[in-house]
Amino acid sequence: NAGVMQNPRHLVRRRGQEARLRCSPMKGHSHVYWYRQLPEEGLKFMVYLQKENIIDESGMPKERFSAEFPKEGPSILRIQQVVRGDSAAYFCASSPKDRGNTEAFFGQGTRLTVV
Amino acid sequence: SQQGEEDPQALSIQEGENATMNCSYKTSINNLQWYRQNSGRGLVHLILIRSNEREKHSGRLRVTLDTSKKSSSLLITASRAADTASYFCATDRPSNTGKLIFGQGTTLQVKP
Protein backbone atom coordinates (compact mmCIF):
# COMPACT_ATOMS: atom_id res chain seq x y z
CA ASN A 1 0.00 0.00 0.00
CA ALA A 2 1.79 3.08 -1.22
CA GLY A 3 1.76 6.04 1.10
CA VAL A 4 0.50 9.51 0.31
CA MET A 5 2.17 10.61 -2.90
CA GLN A 6 2.84 14.22 -3.66
CA ASN A 7 4.37 15.62 -6.79
CA PRO A 8 6.40 17.36 -7.74
CA ARG A 9 8.75 17.24 -4.76
CA HIS A 10 10.29 20.54 -5.76
CA LEU A 11 8.73 23.27 -7.88
CA VAL A 12 10.25 26.55 -8.99
CA ARG A 13 8.01 29.24 -10.38
CA ARG A 14 8.59 32.83 -11.43
CA ARG A 15 6.40 35.51 -9.90
CA GLY A 16 3.07 35.66 -11.69
CA GLN A 17 3.09 32.05 -12.85
CA GLU A 18 0.74 29.32 -11.70
CA ALA A 19 1.70 26.47 -9.42
CA ARG A 20 -0.13 23.13 -9.40
CA LEU A 21 0.56 20.72 -6.60
CA ARG A 22 -0.77 17.18 -6.69
CA CYS A 23 -1.63 14.74 -3.96
CA SER A 24 -2.68 11.13 -4.32
CA PRO A 25 -4.07 9.84 -1.03
CA MET A 26 -3.44 6.40 0.31
CA LYS A 27 -5.58 3.67 -1.18
CA GLY A 28 -8.98 3.62 0.43
CA HIS A 29 -8.66 7.12 1.86
CA SER A 30 -11.33 9.58 0.85
CA HIS A 31 -10.32 12.55 3.00
CA VAL A 32 -7.52 14.91 2.02
CA TYR A 33 -6.02 17.80 3.96
CA TRP A 34 -3.57 20.41 2.72
CA TYR A 35 -1.14 22.20 5.02
CA ARG A 36 1.48 24.87 4.43
CA GLN A 37 4.76 25.15 6.28
CA LEU A 38 6.80 28.32 6.17
CA PRO A 39 10.51 28.08 7.03
CA GLU A 40 11.18 27.46 10.71
CA GLU A 41 7.47 27.18 11.48
CA GLY A 42 4.87 24.52 12.12
CA LEU A 43 2.26 23.38 9.65
CA LYS A 44 -0.80 25.54 9.11
CA PHE A 45 -4.07 23.99 7.97
CA MET A 46 -5.34 25.20 4.62
CA VAL A 47 -8.20 23.07 3.34
CA TYR A 48 -10.03 19.80 3.91
CA LEU A 49 -11.64 17.98 1.02
CA GLN A 50 -13.60 14.85 0.39
CA LYS A 51 -14.25 13.50 -3.06
CA GLU A 52 -15.80 16.32 -5.11
CA ASN A 53 -16.47 18.41 -2.00
CA ILE A 54 -14.66 21.12 -0.09
CA ILE A 55 -15.53 20.58 3.55
CA ASP A 56 -13.44 23.22 5.31
CA GLU A 57 -11.40 25.89 3.58
CA SER A 58 -11.00 28.18 6.56
CA GLY A 59 -7.22 28.21 6.19
CA MET A 60 -7.11 29.09 2.53
CA PRO A 61 -6.10 32.59 1.47
CA LYS A 62 -9.08 34.37 -0.02
CA GLU A 63 -7.46 35.01 -3.37
CA ARG A 64 -5.29 33.06 -5.82
CA PHE A 65 -5.57 29.73 -3.98
CA SER A 66 -7.96 26.94 -4.86
CA ALA A 67 -8.21 23.22 -4.23
CA GLU A 68 -10.11 20.33 -5.68
CA PHE A 69 -10.43 16.61 -5.17
CA PRO A 70 -12.20 15.17 -8.21
CA LYS A 71 -14.01 11.88 -8.36
CA GLU A 72 -11.11 10.43 -10.31
CA GLY A 73 -7.49 11.44 -9.94
CA PRO A 74 -5.41 13.27 -7.36
CA SER A 75 -6.27 16.28 -5.28
CA ILE A 76 -4.88 19.50 -6.73
CA LEU A 77 -3.81 22.63 -4.88
CA ARG A 78 -3.59 25.49 -7.34
CA ILE A 79 -1.89 28.80 -6.71
CA GLN A 80 -2.38 31.46 -9.34
CA GLN A 81 -0.07 34.41 -9.93
CA VAL A 82 2.43 33.25 -7.35
CA VAL A 83 4.31 35.75 -5.22
CA ARG A 84 7.52 35.33 -3.23
CA GLY A 85 5.51 34.92 -0.03
CA ASP A 86 4.01 31.70 -1.42
CA SER A 87 7.40 30.02 -1.13
CA ALA A 88 6.88 27.24 1.38
CA ALA A 89 6.53 23.50 1.78
CA TYR A 90 3.03 22.25 1.06
CA PHE A 91 2.00 18.99 2.66
CA CYS A 92 -0.94 16.77 1.97
CA ALA A 93 -2.40 14.29 4.44
CA SER A 94 -5.05 11.66 3.92
CA SER A 95 -7.26 9.62 6.20
CA PRO A 96 -10.00 7.03 5.91
CA LYS A 97 -13.65 7.99 5.84
CA ASP A 98 -14.13 7.38 9.54
CA ARG A 99 -10.87 8.50 11.01
CA GLY A 100 -11.90 8.59 14.60
CA ASN A 101 -8.91 8.59 16.88
CA THR A 102 -6.38 7.58 14.27
CA GLU A 103 -3.44 9.26 12.67
CA ALA A 104 -3.40 11.17 9.45
CA PHE A 105 -0.82 10.04 6.94
CA PHE A 106 1.36 12.72 5.41
CA GLY A 107 3.11 12.92 2.08
CA GLN A 108 6.70 14.08 1.64
CA GLY A 109 5.57 17.53 0.62
CA THR A 110 6.12 19.84 -2.33
CA ARG A 111 8.64 22.60 -1.82
CA LEU A 112 7.62 25.63 -3.81
CA THR A 113 10.18 28.31 -4.53
CA VAL A 114 9.03 31.51 -6.18
CA VAL A 115 11.82 33.46 -7.85
CA SER B 1 -4.22 31.71 16.77
CA GLN B 2 -1.92 28.71 16.96
CA GLN B 3 -3.38 25.96 19.11
CA GLY B 4 -0.21 24.26 20.20
CA GLU B 5 2.96 25.76 21.49
CA GLU B 6 6.05 23.75 22.19
CA ASP B 7 8.92 24.49 24.46
CA PRO B 8 11.77 24.65 24.33
CA GLN B 9 12.08 25.94 20.79
CA ALA B 10 15.50 24.33 20.54
CA LEU B 11 17.21 21.63 22.55
CA SER B 12 20.75 20.31 22.29
CA ILE B 13 21.85 17.22 24.20
CA GLN B 14 24.51 14.51 24.14
CA GLU B 15 23.83 11.06 22.83
CA GLY B 16 22.50 8.83 25.59
CA GLU B 17 20.77 11.62 27.46
CA ASN B 18 17.01 12.01 27.68
CA ALA B 19 15.14 14.73 25.82
CA THR B 20 11.89 16.24 27.06
CA MET B 21 9.68 18.47 24.96
CA ASN B 22 6.48 20.14 26.12
CA CYS B 23 3.37 21.21 24.30
CA SER B 24 0.55 23.42 25.50
CA TYR B 25 -2.77 24.00 23.81
CA LYS B 26 -5.76 26.23 24.32
CA THR B 27 -9.00 24.40 23.63
CA SER B 28 -10.48 20.99 24.37
CA ILE B 29 -9.18 18.15 22.25
CA ASN B 30 -10.15 14.75 20.89
CA ASN B 31 -6.56 13.60 20.85
CA LEU B 32 -3.02 14.93 20.65
CA GLN B 33 -0.40 13.62 18.28
CA TRP B 34 3.36 13.98 18.06
CA TYR B 35 5.22 14.07 14.76
CA ARG B 36 8.87 14.13 13.79
CA GLN B 37 10.26 15.98 10.81
CA ASN B 38 13.79 15.55 9.58
CA SER B 39 15.26 18.56 7.83
CA GLY B 40 13.62 19.10 4.49
CA ARG B 41 11.50 15.98 4.77
CA GLY B 42 7.91 15.02 5.46
CA LEU B 43 6.26 14.28 8.76
CA VAL B 44 6.51 10.95 10.51
CA HIS B 45 3.77 10.09 12.97
CA LEU B 46 5.19 9.07 16.35
CA ILE B 47 2.35 8.59 18.77
CA LEU B 48 -1.29 9.50 19.36
CA ILE B 49 -2.75 9.95 22.83
CA ARG B 50 -6.49 10.24 23.33
CA SER B 51 -8.07 12.80 25.61
CA ASN B 52 -9.03 10.11 28.13
CA GLU B 53 -5.48 8.73 28.32
CA ARG B 54 -2.78 10.07 30.60
CA GLU B 55 0.33 8.28 29.44
CA LYS B 56 1.47 6.25 26.48
CA HIS B 57 4.68 4.47 25.55
CA SER B 58 6.18 3.44 22.26
CA GLY B 59 9.72 2.10 22.33
CA ARG B 60 11.95 4.90 23.66
CA LEU B 61 9.09 7.40 23.52
CA ARG B 62 6.88 8.32 26.43
CA VAL B 63 4.03 10.78 26.05
CA THR B 64 1.96 12.25 28.85
CA LEU B 65 -1.22 14.25 28.62
CA ASP B 66 -2.69 16.51 31.29
CA THR B 67 -6.03 17.81 30.05
CA SER B 68 -6.57 19.90 33.16
CA LYS B 69 -3.43 21.87 32.33
CA LYS B 70 -3.92 21.51 28.59
CA SER B 71 -0.39 20.24 28.18
CA SER B 72 1.53 17.25 26.91
CA SER B 73 5.12 16.14 27.07
CA LEU B 74 7.23 13.93 24.85
CA LEU B 75 10.18 12.15 26.44
CA ILE B 76 12.80 10.46 24.31
CA THR B 77 15.02 8.22 26.41
CA ALA B 78 18.59 7.22 25.61
CA SER B 79 18.72 9.60 22.68
CA ARG B 80 20.68 8.82 19.53
CA ALA B 81 22.18 11.07 16.87
CA ALA B 82 19.46 9.81 14.53
CA ASP B 83 16.84 11.43 16.78
CA THR B 84 18.06 14.82 15.57
CA ALA B 85 14.96 16.40 14.02
CA SER B 86 12.11 18.81 14.67
CA TYR B 87 9.25 17.54 16.79
CA PHE B 88 5.71 18.86 16.53
CA CYS B 89 2.62 18.34 18.58
CA ALA B 90 -0.74 18.54 16.84
CA THR B 91 -4.21 18.61 18.34
CA ASP B 92 -7.37 17.16 16.91
CA ARG B 93 -10.36 18.95 18.36
CA PRO B 94 -13.79 17.46 19.12
CA SER B 95 -16.56 18.16 16.64
CA ASN B 96 -13.92 19.19 14.21
CA THR B 97 -13.39 18.13 10.67
CA GLY B 98 -10.31 16.09 11.53
CA LYS B 99 -7.90 18.88 10.73
CA LEU B 100 -4.83 19.08 12.92
CA ILE B 101 -3.58 22.21 14.63
CA PHE B 102 0.20 22.17 14.89
CA GLY B 103 2.57 23.83 17.28
CA GLN B 104 5.70 25.64 16.20
CA GLY B 105 7.91 22.70 16.99
CA THR B 106 11.00 21.89 19.01
CA THR B 107 14.28 21.45 17.17
CA LEU B 108 16.29 18.70 18.81
CA GLN B 109 19.98 18.21 18.20
CA VAL B 110 21.62 15.10 19.57
CA LYS B 111 25.39 15.30 19.52
CA PRO B 112 27.33 12.06 19.03
Side-chain angles (χ1 to χ4, degrees):
Chain A
N1 188 5
V4 178
M5 304 300 293
Q6 288 188 249
N7 69 81
R9 291 290 305 277
H10 299 274
L11 183 61
V12 179
R13 284 287 177 266
R14 295 186 183 279
R15 280 179 296 172
Q17 290 184 320
E18 178 179 287
R20 280 186 178 239
L21 289 63
R22 295 175 187 77
C23 169
S24 296
M26 288 182 68
K27 187 176 180 180
H29 286 192
S30 57
H31 296 204
V32 165
Y33 304 80
W34 285 93
Y35 294 83
R36 177 166 63 177
Q37 185 180 32
L38 296 171
E40 310 301 325
E41 292 190 11
L43 278 70
K44 300 284 178 62
F45 168 79
M46 298 181 75
V47 63
Y48 162 42
L49 309 105
Q50 296 177 16
K51 285 283 187 182
E52 300 184 282
N53 284 307
I54 297 175
I55 307 302
D56 181 350
E57 56 182 347
S58 58
M60 287 279 270
K62 293 287 185 282
E63 297 176 348
R64 302 188 297 106
F65 285 71
S66 62
E68 62 177 8
F69 189 15
K71 187 176 180 181
E72 301 291 337
S75 174
I76 306 287
L77 179 67
R78 181 182 177 206
I79 311 172
Q80 295 178 290
Q81 298 173 331
V82 296
V83 300
R84 288 234 171 96
D86 297 332
S87 295
Y90 293 83
F91 290 93
C92 168
S94 75
S95 66
K97 179 180 179 180
D98 298 312
R99 190 163 74 85
N101 268 312
T102 59
E103 65 182 281
F105 295 83
F106 280 83
Q108 290 294 307
T110 293
R111 278 150 186 83
L112 172 65
T113 302
V114 180
V115 297
Chain B
S1 63
Q2 189 70 1
Q3 166 78 321
E5 295 186 6
E6 284 105 326
D7 80 274
Q9 287 191 334
L11 182 60
S12 182
I13 58 174
Q14 293 293 138
E15 215 167 19
E17 293 180 336
N18 296 342
T20 299
M21 288 160 267
N22 303 296
C23 167
S24 61
Y25 56 93
K26 296 183 174 66
T27 64
S28 58
I29 61 171
N30 198 29
N31 62 66
L32 186 145
Q33 304 179 36
W34 284 90
Y35 288 83
R36 184 184 73 213
Q37 184 181 36
N38 289 85
S39 180
R41 306 293 294 275
L43 275 78
V44 175
H45 182 265
L46 295 176
I47 200 162
L48 180 153
I49 186 164
R50 294 179 173 78
S51 60
N52 61 352
E53 296 176 314
R54 292 297 165 259
E55 188 171 310
K56 208 159 183 181
H57 298 255
S58 176
R60 294 183 297 113
L61 304 181
R62 173 178 168 252
V63 167
T64 63
L65 179 65
D66 186 335
T67 52
S68 66
K69 295 181 179 178
K70 291 187 169 56
S71 67
S72 173
S73 68
L74 170 67
L75 168 68
I76 305 173
T77 60
S79 64
R80 305 166 182 168
D83 294 328
T84 295
S86 292
Y87 292 81
F88 296 92
C89 69
T91 53
D92 189 349
R93 292 161 63 182
S95 304
N96 209 334
T97 54
K99 69 186 184 188
L100 297 173
I101 308 297
F102 283 84
Q104 298 283 63
T106 294
T107 300
L108 172 66
Q109 182 185 31
V110 181
K111 299 174 184 175

